[in-house]
Amino acid sequence: QIQVVQSGAEVKKPGASVKISCKTSGYTFTSYGISWVRQAPGQGFEWLGWISVYNGDKKYAQKFQGRLTMTTDTSTDTAYMELRSLRSDDTAVYFCARDGGIEGAIGWFDPWGQGTLVTVSS
Amino acid sequence: DIQMTQSPLSLPASVGERVTVTCRASQSIGTSLNWYQQRPGKAPKFLIYTASNLQGGVPLRFSGSGSGTEFTLTISSLQPEDVATYYCQQSYSVPWTFGLGTKVEIK
């Protein structure tokens, strides 16, 4: 079955960077894209960006452009998200989710990884 | 950005009761509206895409409707395992945006 497994929780200081991995299995990794979404404590969801595994095309939420990097490794069927210049309000659970296909982003997310808690604190 | 507004924020209901959650978009989004279920401490589960299409494996008691700016998620007969927060999300234009959720509980 399709599985999406993320790396473990991280604690970072303000100004630091965090890199989260998202390992997939059970489907053809190169035929889909990956979106990254976060959920701050007690808050709703916020979409950060999308990357096509097929051709590397990317879409960003404007507020994260410039400090968000999304990459994929087709040798391990793993996607990565790096967020730089962390602030306290970046504290959230970060999710990856399969999104879209060869034709581009679709904008719905299925399935999701289990989430990675990133805590930003001095 | 397209703003998504859900109501109510909390919805207590009895087992077997029909439950309806409403989602409104700040502009017309056609049928580019999706629904997710999030149980406490879990990742969201994809329920419905393009307003009314049930994702495979989702129980038939779930249904979605609407177009333009107003959408509904209906659970025809609430079951204990449906206790969760339900989120709508628009896929009409980037950035994809979500509603703040409706928490469905057993009365």
Side-chain angles (χ1 to χ4, degrees), chain B residues 11-35:
Chain B
L11 184 48
S14 302
V15 172
E17 188 174 340
R18 183 182 182 89
V19 166
T20 299
V21 178
T22 298
C23 176
R24 289 186 173 88
S26 61
Q27 67 181 73
S28 179
I29 58 171
T31 57
S32 299
L33 191 284
N34 313 302
W35 291 97

Side-chain angles (χ1 to χ4, degrees), chain A residues 35 37 39 43-47 50 59-61 95 99 105-110 112-114, chain B residues 34 36 38 41-46 49-50 55 87 89-91 94-100:
Chain A
S35 266
V37 178
Q39 184 176 33
Q43 304 294 315
F45 292 100
E46 183 173 31
W47 176 79
W50 170 86
K59 295 183 186 294
Y60 295 90
F95 295 94
D99 173 11
I106 293 178
W108 67 68
F109 317 118
D110 181 51
W112 297 53
Q114 84 278 17
Chain B
N34 313 302
Y36 301 84
Q38 187 181 34
K42 300 293 187 182
K45 176 185 176 182
F46 185 44
Y49 59 98
T50 55
Q55 179 66 342
Y87 294 90
Q89 174 248 331
Q90 64 83 16
S91 52
V94 167
W96 318 133
T97 50
F98 294 79
L100 291 179

Side-chain angles (χ1 to χ4, degrees), chain A residues 2-83:
Chain A
I2 297 170
Q3 288 194 310
V4 180
V5 180
Q6 299 181 219
S7 48
E10 302 264 11
V11 179
K12 297 292 181 181
K13 293 194 182 304
S17 299
V18 67
K19 188 171 186 177
I20 298 168
S21 68
C22 171
K23 180 159 177 57
T24 72
S25 60
Y27 71 95
T28 304
F29 185 58
T30 51
S31 295
Y32 291 85
I34 295 286
S35 266
W36 291 90
V37 178
R38 72 182 186 182
Q39 184 176 33
Q43 304 294 315
F45 292 100
E46 183 173 31
W47 176 79
L48 284 74
W50 170 86
I51 181 169
S52 167
V53 180
Y54 175 69
N55 61 11
D57 189 22
K58 299 180 182 71
K59 295 183 186 294
Y60 295 90
Q62 190 170 6
K63 69 179 285 188
F64 298 105
Q65 194 147 18
R67 66 183 188 111
L68 174 66
T69 299
M70 298 176 289
T71 57
T72 62
D73 181 347
T74 56
S75 69
T76 59
D77 292 352
T78 302
Y80 298 89
M81 185 278 292
E82 182 179 33
L83 191 62

Side-chain angles (χ1 to χ4, degrees), chain B residues 52-82:
Chain B
S52 61
N53 294 282
L54 212 60
Q55 179 66 342
V58 174
L60 295 179
R61 61 181 179 274
F62 289 91
S63 64
S65 65
S67 66
T69 61
E70 187 151 339
F71 303 86
T72 58
L73 170 71
T74 299
I75 308 172
S76 60
S77 175
L78 185 68
Q79 300 302 303
E81 61 266 31
D82 300 334

